[in-house]
Amino acid sequence: MHQPVPIVSADRAAAGPVYLVPIAGLFGAVLMISLVLAGKIVSVGGLTFTAAVIVFPASYLFGDVLTEVYGYSSTRTVVWTGFLAQALWILAYGIAAALPPAPFWPHQAAFEAVLGATPRLALAGLAAYLTGEFLNAYLLAKLKLRFRGRGLAARLVASTLVGQGIDSALFIGLGFGGLYPAADLVRLALSIWALKVGWEIVALPLSVPLIGFLKRAEGRDAFDTDTDFNPFRLRG
């Protein structure tokens, strides 16, 4: 079986990965932007979805890069960091919304309408995010071992099909279940899923060369042969 090949000089190894922190930062930025955009529901060409679809699938692109180049353990750390960042944002917003507005500031209702997410939606989003991201990373790592590193584009799409499918189903089911007709929720979840997977496919001409560049630049090509895939284990 193809083994990990982090062939780098001693100085390079001591310096550590060059691009890991910027990628993790962009991953976090996408999550924060998605929290704001998720408050708008749009309809285009018969498909109904939240505006977060504009950027949220990029989190899976960055997750793919992290798993393929740096390994599942690095992805696990970044995913949990993103979770904590989202939780902090929700907490901070809740405090800000609860503070009494200044008498001359008339935008309290708009502030709550645009940025406010009910606790149920916030919890649904966090649960969907964690489950979807970890499934995506797990499947990508396992498929890489199964196919000995070959078929990158197919592996990226396959892992996204599952990860984004579970993400969409959980978010819609937990966030809106019982509030709207089941048929409408199924259509909404399927629309979101199709758009996310389509986003991944359209992005392949960018993601595949990017992963190749990073493997060469970092001197890393992670194969998770002995990895503990427990998502709650943050070390090793």
Side-chain angles (χ1 to χ4, degrees):
M1 180 175 288
H2 194 166
Q3 297 295 318
V5 287
I7 303 173
V8 296
S9 68
D11 291 341
R12 178 65 174 280
V18 175
Y19 297 102
L20 178 57
V21 172
I23 292 171
L26 289 171
F27 179 90
V30 166
L31 296 179
M32 296 300 99
I33 294 169
S34 297
L35 280 175
V36 177
L37 298 185
K40 181 173 182 178
I41 307 296
V42 301
S43 181
V44 178
L47 297 177
T48 303
F49 49 92
T50 71
V53 169
I54 297 171
V55 295
F56 183 73
S59 68
Y60 277 75
L61 186 155
F62 292 125
D64 291 341
V65 169
L66 289 166
T67 303
E68 184 71 20
V69 178
Y70 303 100
Y72 179 88
S73 295
S74 294
T75 305
R76 177 169 50 200
T77 301
V78 174
V79 167
W80 277 112
T81 302
F83 174 85
L84 293 175
Q86 290 182 89
L88 178 60
W89 189 96
I90 292 168
L91 175 63
Y93 166 78
I95 294 172
L99 291 172
F104 58 84
W105 192 69
H107 305 299
Q108 177 70 16
F111 180 78
E112 294 177 358
V114 173
L115 296 180
T118 65
R120 177 177 176 177
L121 286 179
L123 291 174
L126 290 176
Y129 158 76
L130 280 181
T131 306
E133 289 287 352
F134 277 125
L135 271 176
N136 182 74
Y138 174 82
L139 286 173
L140 185 60
K142 286 295 188 179
L143 287 172
K144 185 174 185 179
L145 294 175
R146 174 65 178 82
F147 294 101
R148 301 183 181 182
R150 297 188 295 268
L152 174 59
R155 290 189 286 108
L156 294 177
V157 174
S159 63
T160 298
L161 276 168
V162 177
Q164 292 280 23
I166 297 299
D167 180 296
S168 301
L170 278 178
F171 178 70
I172 297 302
L174 295 176
F176 300 99
L179 300 178
Y180 303 100
D184 291 339
L185 295 182
V186 170
R187 282 193 293 270
L188 178 58
L190 289 175
S191 295
I192 293 172
W193 183 33
L195 285 167
K196 290 177 177 178
V197 174
W199 200 105
E200 172 81 21
I201 294 172
V202 170
L204 285 175
L206 169 65
S207 57
V208 172
L210 175 62
I211 288 172
F213 164 78
L214 288 170
K215 286 180 179 179
R216 294 188 298 272
E218 300 281 33
R220 299 169 183 268
D221 188 6
F223 281 75
D224 289 290
T225 51
D226 300 313
T227 299
D228 182 352
F229 286 96
N230 181 351
F232 300 102
R233 179 180 173 87
L234 298 182
R235 297 181 62 186

